[in-house]
């Protein structure tokens, strides 16, 4: 297989694995918030990233290339809120998109049609990934406003009780 692309895809394989472990660390932070639905959602996100890495690995192996697993950076383990987790995730997915687009540019420069064909799937997948996180951020913000609204209604019913001097 094309050596330039083999190298670039290997970098991406390791970045997908790094992404998986970022989400795994997020999942474990969310465990501390007892948000079971989000724990489940991030567990699936972790599995999806490993599947993205696997799809690239299968591609390299099928073309007789070599997959090289390297070290990657330790993920961030502490966050301040679920919103911070989601906003960090969206930022991360934008970086993944940028890298996939760069890979596509290289594949086009090299006229490597199998890689171009493979990358179309990742380009589409990134549109979904960014949309998923954007929507989740909007939903969390809406729910927070709804919570504040409910609390506001509760506070409206407070009445002044004069101090009874006889008691
Ligand atoms: Fe991915």
């Amino acid at each position: 297989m094309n050596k330039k692309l083999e190298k670039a895809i290997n970098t991406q394989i390791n970045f997908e694995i790094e992404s998986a472990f970022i989400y795994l660390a997020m999942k474990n932070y969310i465990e501390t918030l007892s948000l079971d639905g989000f724990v489940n959602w991030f567990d699936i996100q972790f599995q999806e990233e490993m599947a993205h890495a696997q799809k690239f690995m299968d591609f390299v192996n099928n073309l007789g290339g070599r997959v090289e697993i390297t070290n990657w950076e330790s993920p961030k383990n502490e966050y301040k809120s679920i919103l911070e987790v989601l906003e960090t995730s969206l930022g991360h997915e934008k970086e993944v998109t940028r890298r996939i687009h760069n890979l596509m540019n290289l594949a086009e420069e090299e006229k490597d049609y199998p890689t171009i064909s493979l990358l179309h799937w990742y380009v589409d997948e990134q549109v979904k990934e960014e949309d998923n996180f954007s929507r989740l951020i909007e939903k969390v913000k809406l729910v927070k406003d709804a919570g504040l609204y409910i609390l506001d209604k509760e506070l409206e019913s407070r009445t002044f009780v004069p101090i009874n001097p006889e008691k």
Side-chain angles (χ1 to χ4, degrees), residues 74-101:
S74 293
K76 179 172 152 77
N77 282 289
E78 298 304 329
Y79 292 90
K80 289 188 192 75
S81 65
I82 189 68
L83 199 56
E84 191 198 2
V85 168
L86 294 172
E87 277 165 351
T88 306
S89 301
L90 178 60
H92 182 76
E93 287 303 330
K94 285 182 174 169
E95 171 60 19
V96 176
T97 302
R98 195 186 65 80
R99 290 176 182 227
I100 293 290
H101 291 179

Side-chain angles (χ1 to χ4, degrees), residues 81-83 138-149:
S81 65
I82 189 68
L83 199 56
E138 290 314 310
K139 281 178 192 165
V140 166
K141 284 180 181 168
L142 278 172
V143 167
K144 277 196 171 168
D145 286 348
L148 197 61
Y149 178 76

Side-chain angles (χ1 to χ4, degrees), residues 65-135:
R66 277 295 281 125
V67 171
E68 281 181 41
I69 302 301
T70 59
N71 272 346
W72 52 86
E73 265 187 63
S74 293
K76 179 172 152 77
N77 282 289
E78 298 304 329
Y79 292 90
K80 289 188 192 75
S81 65
I82 189 68
L83 199 56
E84 191 198 2
V85 168
L86 294 172
E87 277 165 351
T88 306
S89 301
L90 178 60
H92 182 76
E93 287 303 330
K94 285 182 174 169
E95 171 60 19
V96 176
T97 302
R98 195 186 65 80
R99 290 176 182 227
I100 293 290
H101 291 179
N102 283 345
L103 259 180
M104 183 65 105
N105 286 339
L106 181 64
E108 283 178 350
E109 265 169 42
E110 296 290 313
K111 295 193 175 7
D112 190 304
Y113 300 113
T115 303
I116 292 169
S117 175
L118 174 80
L119 287 173
H120 277 297
W121 184 87
Y122 285 91
V123 170
D124 294 344
E125 180 67 10
Q126 280 314 114
V127 174
K128 282 190 234 158
E129 294 279 36
E130 287 191 29
D131 186 50
N132 279 345
F133 279 114
S134 298
R135 281 171 190 277

